[in-house]
Amino acid sequence: MSAQVRPAVGASGLATDLNAYRQALRAYLGAEPRLDRWRGARYTTTEERIRGHGMLMGALHRDGWNRYGWPEAAGGLAGDERHRAVLYEELSAAGLPVPEPVLMLETLGPPLVRFAPYLAAELLPAYLRGEEWWGQGFSEPEAGSDLAALRCRARRDGDSYVLSGQKLWTSHGATARRLMCLVRTGSPESRHRGLTMVLVDADAPGVSVRPVALASGRNELAEVFFDDARVPASRLVGAEGEGWAVAMYLLQFERAMFAWLSATVALRRLRELRDMLTARDGHRLPDGSARRVGECYADLVALRARSAQTVRRLAAGEAVGPEASVDKVLLATAETGLHDLARDLLGAEFVLGGPPEVEEWRADWWYSRASTIMGGSAEVQRTILADHVLNLPKERGA
Ligand SMILES: Cc1cc2nc3c(=O)[nH]c(=O)nc-3n(C[C@H](O)[C@H](O)[C@H](O)COP(=O)(O)OP(=O)(O)OC[C@H]3O[C@@H](n4cnc5c(N)ncnc54)[C@H](O)[C@@H]3O)c2cc1C
């Protein structure tokens, strides 16, 4: 690695000069040989992939790059959401993965910093180093779209809360070190008023985690059972009863930052698909496919443009609120479009089996089916937009 791209750690100015940060980061990513092992790396299991990506976070952390955008009190080097957005974009442009643990870091980190800064100071540094990652325990068997119906209970007992109940569809749940859970502290009928957010250690007595394999065969998700699991009251994120406000704050980041980083990855994947196809066929796309490739690119660029605006708003401290559902809907459209394109252009190999890069497209295609469900289904996002952004009149009979 050349001397001039060496260390961002604490480099003055990078936290306040976004362009300088981008240039220095780009130079580093282009020159650092230690990063080569993550270029084009393939993993056979989710567990292997997340651990491998945790190590990439460690490498980025060593020279400070993934600490920008997080407060110094939480192990960061200052800056804002735009620094994080630039990191994900530059990683993708350099042919590197956006580390998998970042998906939940972007979802759970911001509410922790905002509602429990003391916990962020204690626990976020290890996450940034890639030594641990967390899961989000919101959904339950009877509470997904209707989140306020959730039943997992937390009862106050001295300096602790005692949790009983179940969570389902927890991304990264099988390997997560901690779980940020939305639980009911109010009466069963209290809906969104009786909820509290709490950070639970996944290895605490009374917590058991069972991996859930998706159609791809990979353990991307988990179900989590709480059997009188004791959690210190100091692990509350926000006050008791404030869980809904914390969750709404969190969802802005889950929808908007996730849309941004997914767009950077999808643009890289589209480039890789084009390169794979043209390398096979005399440097031309298959006949009749250029229009669909162009449409897919246009969807991704539209998502990127919208998402950039949302990231800027979050960085300015604005409440994006229900408008983040626009980003979520655009993301679902672009993700399904990209993977359907790959399925159609890769043809028989996609269906019957082919080289590892084609296998990877097939596994990703399965996962892309979830993009209209995870983080709130597409139907529910459209209802949010109709009711809270466009203020459309209610449908008759609704
Ligand atoms: C890959 C993946 C990862 C996930 N990761 C997590 C995670 O980390 N943490 C977590 O807590 N959850 C996670 N989830 C769960 C996800 O948030 C829920 O699946 C989602 O909110 C939908 O809830 P549900 O599955 O209970 O479906 P339901 O709410 O039962 O919905 C079923 C269908 O009915 C439709 N529907 C429901 N209500 C309405 C309505 N009012 N109007 C119109 N249509 C409606 C929905 O659109 C959907 O098509 C994940 C899901 C997936 C697929």
Side-chain angles (χ1 to χ4, degrees):
M1 182 173 50
S2 65
Q4 68 269 31
V5 295
R6 182 92 185 110
V9 180
S12 63
L14 297 191
T16 48
D17 185 340
L18 194 62
N19 202 35
Y21 171 72
R22 185 191 286 280
Q23 295 310 326
L25 171 64
R26 187 176 292 174
Y28 167 82
L29 296 176
E32 174 54 69
R34 281 182 305 178
L35 299 175
D36 288 344
R37 59 186 279 207
W38 287 284
R39 286 197 171 85
R42 295 208 166 76
Y43 307 91
T44 47
T45 66
T46 302
E47 292 83 349
E48 222 180 89
R49 188 180 67 230
I50 198 159
R51 290 204 176 90
H53 284 194
M55 286 184 226
L56 173 56
M57 285 180 80
L60 292 169
H61 187 275
R62 219 169 7 249
D63 290 332
W65 301 107
N66 71 343
R67 295 173 63 192
Y68 288 95
W70 297 100
E72 286 166 287
L77 289 172
D80 58 46
E81 281 75 6
R82 295 170 304 158
H83 284 80
R84 283 145 43 198
V86 165
L87 172 64
Y88 310 141
E89 186 173 38
E90 290 298 326
L91 283 169
S92 295
L96 286 158
V98 174
E100 191 94 1
V102 161
L103 310 186
M104 280 300 142
L105 177 64
E106 281 298 345
T107 301
L108 309 178
L112 198 73
V113 166
R114 166 83 178 264
F115 291 94
Y118 45 94
L119 288 180
E122 183 191 339
L123 303 173
L124 219 49
Y127 203 143
L128 291 173
R129 289 195 297 272
E131 292 166 3
E132 59 179 71
W133 44 90
W134 307 343
Q136 174 193 17
F138 280 22
S139 305
E140 298 180 7
E142 302 299 328
S145 301
D146 186 12
L147 187 59
L150 69 84
R151 292 197 296 210
C152 184
R153 273 205 70 74
R155 166 177 59 82
R156 180 93 197 215
D157 182 26
D159 288 343
S160 308
Y161 284 83
V162 180
L163 267 61
S164 52
Q166 183 189 354
K167 293 291 173 185
L168 187 58
W169 314 130
T170 310
S171 293
H172 304 158
T175 52
R177 171 84 180 78
R178 302 174 213 280
L179 305 159
M180 194 182 282
C181 296
L182 193 58
V183 293
R184 184 159 304 284
T185 41
S187 68
E189 318 71 49
S190 57
R191 298 277 301 171
H192 59 276
R193 289 181 307 282
L195 300 175
T196 299
M197 195 73 82
V198 62
L199 191 64
V200 186
D201 288 350
D203 59 358
V207 181
S208 45
V209 179
R210 204 155 58 196
V212 174
L214 297 191
S216 63
R218 294 186 176 179
N219 291 331
E220 305 279 357
L221 310 181
E223 55 185 335
V224 183
F225 299 89
F226 300 102
D227 186 10
D228 286 341
R230 198 165 275 276
V231 183
S234 57
R235 285 298 186 82
L236 252 48
V237 180
E240 180 177 322
E242 205 185 0
W244 192 253
V246 180
M248 292 305 108
Y249 182 78
L250 173 153
L251 282 177
Q252 307 178 102
F253 290 87
E254 174 169 359
R255 291 177 181 150
M257 292 303 285
F258 182 65
W260 170 267
L261 68 87
S262 301
T264 72
V265 174
L267 281 161
R268 169 172 69 79
R269 294 291 280 150
L270 181 61
R271 276 197 307 274
E272 287 170 0
L273 180 66
R274 178 204 58 194
D275 292 348
M276 185 171 33
L277 291 165
T278 52
R280 289 173 174 189
D281 197 11
H283 301 287
R284 290 176 52 242
L285 284 169
D287 284 346
S289 65
R291 185 186 175 92
R292 276 194 67 195
V293 172
E295 284 168 355
C296 181
Y297 182 68
D299 282 348
L300 285 170
V301 170
L303 165 65
R304 188 180 176 285
R306 161 72 194 190
S307 186
Q309 192 187 12
T310 311
V311 170
R312 282 197 293 272
R313 291 180 62 193
L314 287 172
E318 280 182 44
V320 175
E323 288 177 57
S325 294
V326 174
D327 305 49
K328 179 74 182 54
V329 169
L330 290 175
L331 171 62
T333 307
E335 284 255 307
T336 45
L338 169 66
H339 291 88
D340 286 348
L341 177 73
R343 176 199 60 196
D344 295 346
L345 297 188
L346 293 170
E349 278 188 341
F350 180 92
V351 180
L352 301 172
E357 58 271 24
V358 176
E359 298 292 327
E360 190 177 3
W361 274 107
R362 190 169 53 229
D364 289 353
W365 182 88
W366 282 114
Y367 196 76
S368 73
R369 302 303 95 180
S371 64
T372 53
I373 305 170
M374 60 200 283
S377 76
E379 291 81 5
V380 169
Q381 301 310 305
R382 290 193 169 91
T383 303
I384 292 171
L385 292 172
D387 288 349
H388 300 291
V389 178
L390 301 172
N391 294 317
L392 297 181
K394 294 267 181 227
E395 277 183 285
R396 240 179 260 176

